[in-house]
Amino acid sequence: MRRSVLLGTGSALPRRALGNEELARMVDTSDEWIVERTGIRNRYVAGDDETTSSLATEACRKAIEAAGIEAETIDLIVLATATPDQTFPATATIVQDALGCNGGIAFDVAAVCSGFLYALAVADSMLRSGMANRALVIGSETFSRILDWEDRSTCVLFGDGAGAIVIEAQEDGAAEPRGILATRLHADGAHNQLLYVDGGPSTTGTVGKLRMKGREVFRHAVVNLSQVLKEVLDEAGVAIEDIDWLVPHQANARILEATAKKLSMPPEKVIMTVGQHANTSAASVPLALDAAIRDGRIGKGDLVMLEAMGGGFTWGASLIRV
Ligand code: UT7
């Protein structure tokens, strides 16, 4: 049986950090409100010369280095983003060319904040089917470009960044298999107007700005995430106590805490980076995963659950033995 095994991770953040105090001089908000309601203290904002593809390329270079492989051996790139460099071509093809691994498969996936989970599931399926052997799975966003900087209910919540992982198809004969063990994805389009962008190529001909009914999204997030996590545990035949680390989408510290509590998961097993990066949409799960692998918390053999929920609604979870 072929399985997709994790070889390396990488991440990238724009140069410019934007703290709550500075933001409070731009819109009617306060450090106190943002920290209390979200846990966010800081976010990064892309400069004119920084794009979704440039951040993704930097994250990929680090992931490739951590994996100890040559870029030319990558034959599949799946990039999750809601903020592509251009409507087309796919940002994945720009990254492919920058890395010099031209010739393989490269495309984008749009599932907003759960984009990385969707991209991972697609790449995993393609590796297991034999269509490719070595993949880069990327989440990269420049949400600062689609924020309404006068809307305090949204602009304080998001930031820019990228995370990437290298996965490889390996024959699995081990008693304790490594790699992606189980994944479940969902979407419910009935809620597509709770979190959306008010523009697009085929409607307004503009890029549009992000709009969100935050309180309602919050309510759905806790329910959907705890359900999908249970589905993945059931599919893998694993108990919640066996999970070493939960790497959740970093939208709001309160959502992370509420989901962990609903699952009776100790908070110290939850990787939390939302304070430093804010919500980076599709980049948030691979950014948090890379941070926890690089600081030594997540190590080889650990059982790690990834999860995310976002616009659409879309949501999903994936269980990996690192
Ligand atoms: O990544 C995709 C998934 N997205 C999410 O998961 C986001 C989910 N939602 C959330 O994280 C939270 O709902 C928010 C952080 C967006 C909002 O927190 P909340 O506790 O649900 O606050 P609220 O929307 O109910 O607003 C409470 C009050 C309102 O004032 P009134 O009407 O009670 O007088 C808002 O006008 O807070 C006010 N408010 C602010 N005050 C200061 C909203 N934004 C701000 C702000 N600064 N930035």
Side-chain angles (χ1 to χ4, degrees), residues 117 182-186 221-240 243 245-249 255-265 270 304-309 315-320:
L117 270 300
T183 302
R184 293 297 287 259
L185 301 175
H186 291 284
V222 178
V223 175
N224 289 345
L225 288 171
S226 25
Q227 262 166 18
V228 75
L229 287 175
K230 283 187 187 141
E231 287 171 21
V232 171
L233 290 171
D234 284 351
E235 191 180 321
V238 166
I240 190 81
I243 304 291
W245 299 102
L246 179 65
V247 183
H249 170 48
I255 297 180
L256 275 60
E257 285 154 7
T259 310
K261 197 171 166 198
K262 215 164 186 273
L263 293 162
S264 309
M265 191 152 193
V270 182
V304 179
M305 181 75 90
L306 314 179
E307 52 94 321
M309 139 107 193
W315 65 101
S318 188
L319 185 68
I320 304 182

Side-chain angles (χ1 to χ4, degrees), residues 109-179:
V109 161
V112 209
C113 295
S114 15
F116 184 77
L117 270 300
Y118 269 69
L120 187 64
V122 172
D124 176 40
S125 302
M126 292 176 86
L127 292 189
R128 281 189 292 112
S129 76
M131 198 175 265
N133 291 306
R134 223 173 231 184
L136 271 167
V137 185
I138 311 160
S140 185
E141 302 278 16
T142 44
F143 257 50
S144 62
R145 312 269 210 248
I146 56 163
L147 292 176
D148 175 351
W149 287 96
E150 291 179 359
D151 175 10
R152 68 175 185 175
S153 72
T154 53
C155 76
V156 305
L157 304 173
F158 295 90
D160 301 337
I165 66 171
V166 178
I167 51 174
E168 177 185 76
Q170 291 183 5
E171 284 303 325
D172 166 30
E176 191 178 74
R178 278 186 67 212

Side-chain angles (χ1 to χ4, degrees), residues 28-30 33-34 37-38 113 152-153 156-158 195 212 214-215 217-218 221 249 251-252 254-255 279 309-310:
D28 180 18
T29 188
S30 65
W33 189 94
I34 302 172
R37 300 292 179 119
T38 71
C113 295
R152 68 175 185 175
S153 72
V156 305
L157 304 173
F158 295 90
L195 176 49
M212 176 167 74
R215 205 179 301 184
V217 178
F218 190 116
H249 170 48
N252 184 326
R254 282 160 54 216
I255 297 180
N279 181 347
M309 139 107 193

